[in-house]
Amino acid sequence: MLTLYHLPYAEGFGANARKIAILLNELELNWKGEAVSRNAVRTSPEYALLHPDRKVPVLKDGETIVIESAAVLQYLAEVYGSGKYLESKYDALAWVSLQNGLSSAVSSLFQADDESQKTKAINNAKHYLELLDDKLASSKSGYILDPGYSIADIAWIAFIDDRRKEKLHIESWEQFPNIAKWQQKVLARPAVAKAYEN
Ligand SMILES: N[C@@H](CCC(=O)N[C@@H](CS)C(=O)NCC(=O)O)C(=O)O
């Protein structure tokens, strides 16, 4: 049984933990979620032993602890998927890594103290959305990479679901037509939909 440590649903679950829930569902693994309050993530001495930077997600697999969403995605795809969803490995890892740019922009947006910081963060988020939209424009498979659905799609979708659109100050996805099309395709996957059930 695999355990995924995440924030409680009422505290937002965590987009990074959502990535892992999606892949666990895609691989049809036997897993359980372990909710840890944001306060415990930030202050409990026990939690610091799990993740020294005090973040979710953390995956526990028997005696093995894997931290950081990118490492957890790679771990699951390699150990339990025999490389499934990691077909074009270095491209997939690169696009998982590029998604961190969007995460940082979103964090800056939430922490912005004034309008100028807010505008800078929104523009930065839009820069990363443009990167993704351009990449999808040349896709043949309809997913980020041409071998097909991969951990890159999983990493990005967790941050680009409809609920986040307003937070990113995007009125309509028409601005990013390729993202709009891709998003519908990815959100329609049962494993992805299931990760949003709670
Ligand atoms: N680089 C980390 C980032 C993880 C992260 O930022 N997690 C957020 C939730 S999405 C968190 O743990 N926040 C705890 C807090 O706000 O103290 C990863 O990819 O796993």
Side-chain angles (χ1 to χ4, degrees), residues 7 14-16 19 38 41-42 54-57 68-70 100:
L7 296 175
N16 288 296
K19 298 172 187 173
R38 200 178 285 272
V41 166
R42 289 184 179 175
R54 297 186 167 281
K55 300 279 185 221
V56 295
E68 292 292 296
S69 60
N100 286 325

Side-chain angles (χ1 to χ4, degrees), residues 165-178:
K165 191 173 63 188
E166 286 74 27
K167 288 185 185 166
L168 292 174
H169 297 257
I170 292 164
E171 279 161 31
S172 146
W173 284 117
E174 276 165 34
Q175 201 179 338
F176 302 103
N178 302 301

Side-chain angles (χ1 to χ4, degrees), residues 95-158:
W95 279 89
V96 167
S97 173
L98 280 171
Q99 187 271 317
N100 286 325
L102 179 62
S103 303
S104 305
V106 172
S107 302
S108 312
L109 178 59
F110 291 159
Q111 285 159 18
D113 291 328
D114 58 38
E115 280 309 307
S116 105
Q117 284 182 10
K118 206 165 142 180
T119 306
K120 202 169 154 196
I122 291 169
N123 288 340
N124 200 14
K126 287 186 177 164
H127 161 74
Y128 283 97
L129 293 171
E130 277 161 16
L131 276 189
L132 178 63
D133 201 66
D134 287 351
K135 176 73 178 160
L136 288 166
S138 59
S139 159
K140 292 186 186 69
S141 62
Y143 293 112
I144 297 175
L145 300 172
D146 267 330
Y149 183 66
S150 73
I151 62 169
D153 299 285
I154 295 175
W156 284 85
I157 197 64

